[in-house]
Amino acid sequence: MNYLRRRLSDSSFVANLPNGYMMDLQSGPRPTPPSSTSNPASPATERRTPPSLPPQVPASGSALVAVAEPKILLVIDDLHTDWAKYFRGKKLNGEYDIRVEQAEFSEINLASYMNTGCMIDMQAIRGGTKVVRSFKPDFVLIRQHAYSMTPGEDFRSLVIGLQYGGVASINSLLSIYNFCSKPWVFSHMVKLYHSLGPEKFPLNEQTFYPNHTQMVTTPTFPVVVKMGHAHAGIGKIKVENELDFQDITSVVALARTYATSEPYVLSKYDIRIQKIGNNYKAYMRTSISGNWKANTGSAMLEQIAMTDRYRLWVDSCAEMFGGLDICAVKAVHGKDGNDYIIEVMDSSMPLIGEHVEEDRQLITDLVIKKMCSVLLGINTPQPSAVKVNLFHLHSRVNTHMCVRSAGGHRSGSGSPSQSAQGSPQRARSANTSPSQAFQPGPIPPPAATGPGSQKQPPQLNKSQSLTNTFTETLKGNATDDEAKAETIRSLRQSFASLFSD
């Protein structure tokens, strides 16, 4: 206290106190006026916040959200398909628009940077007008061959540039680059042949020659010689004898390329099994013009039923190079009744048959799903999986109803392998898949009664059995969608009532 008295009696100390300080101590606290040393508000701040009102802070969730920049999808394809119309009006996660830039390999160039990615320069003619654009793609769909032996059609450097710039794609750029050499792809099919066996994966026998000097081994005639990396029947020659084989050797020497030879299969029809995401289709093509190349000249094309055998072929090939989102397997069914797998195609495969529009829509949905996963980190569930399981259950219900009406007797049925070796069954639906072709098991015999009978496991009633079957089919495909769950519950009740006595 003595110290305070001495300080307050010091005139220099009191003089340095703020004005009115001693009065404030006597009269109690009062509102402090604005400091004279504070910075004046800017005109923009004064306009936003009136002096008489406190600053308004937007509540959580009510702040203005900037419009999301559209994601750019580069589609490398010819102009026969307008991919922009398939993506029109579609969004990623309901937030990002998709801007489609379509061009052929020959119409683009690029530069890729380690830190800033890939920049595309496009120069194309559209409707007689030259279009020049530069953009940075977020994703690429490749529907065109990246390499051909035709002069000026080697675009592998562009694939390297896209990979260098870290652009995600369907199919993967790794697989696109690997598919630039058909013998390289065939060598991976040879691995499948040895791992699965010739019964499950009947790959046609093939011999590879790195150059013409090695074409000295006398093959069994007739054979098909394929020169280098060719498509659509080009560069394939049927050789009937040793003299013709020597002539082809000289042609291979002139072309300075590798070659392969394989036994000629007397074909009854060609088979093509395609896979787009989780959708499968199988086709049979029969030559009408009589050309030994079924894809040359006139041919009749029919969609046939998928089998487990066909699905194994395409699913095994789809595991190549880290996974193929889009692929197709080509095979020949010989007049000897055997199948011979000859080739696998990637995302550049042509779309055939009566369901081309559907296949394009499937590719569109697959691209959107992949873009959401890669660009936004959102993995959307596959709706087709639920549809397949519902169809699976519907088939089981129909089967049980037929058994009940027939007094429990079931007519015999052939195995999938038998239908594959014989004439293929015509497909009834564009989306037929092996999982949809439900094969009911045998009906268990009635429980024996009497003192000598063995103890039987507890029998479930019809509704419990149907519920358990339905639960098993949906295992691993559960979602949080309440609407689907309600539908499932309703179906259980409806189907259970069908079997009530």
Side-chain angles (χ1 to χ4, degrees), residues 72-92:
I72 300 179
L73 168 65
L74 171 62
V75 180
I76 300 179
D77 198 0
D78 57 39
L79 299 181
H80 292 96
T81 303
D82 180 14
W83 285 99
K85 76 174 185 178
Y86 295 96
F87 289 91
R88 189 170 294 119
K90 299 183 182 294
K91 292 179 179 288
L92 300 183

Side-chain angles (χ1 to χ4, degrees), residues 444-450 453-459:
T449 58
S453 62
Q454 296 181 356
K455 186 177 180 180
Q456 297 293 330
Q459 299 293 324

Side-chain angles (χ1 to χ4, degrees), residues 189-235:
M189 298 174 72
V190 171
K191 293 182 180 180
L192 295 175
Y193 170 80
H194 289 301
S195 62
L196 297 175
E199 292 296 326
K200 293 183 177 180
F201 197 80
L203 186 64
N204 195 21
E205 184 180 352
Q206 190 179 87
T207 303
F208 174 76
Y209 306 101
N211 52 63
H212 74 285
T213 61
Q214 303 300 318
M215 298 178 67
V216 294
T217 303
T218 304
T220 301
F221 296 102
V223 296
V224 176
V225 176
K226 300 178 181 179
M227 297 175 51
H229 180 75
H231 303 284
I234 300 175

Side-chain angles (χ1 to χ4, degrees), residues 169-176 178-179 275 314-327 346-347 370:
S169 70
I170 283 183
N171 284 346
S172 71
L173 294 172
L174 171 66
S175 69
I176 296 294
N178 277 281
F179 267 84
K275 183 177 188 290
V314 71
D315 280 346
S316 300
C317 292
E319 296 177 0
M320 291 181 178
F321 313 124
L324 306 176
D325 301 290
I326 303 170
C327 64
D346 67 345
S347 60
K370 197 70 175 286

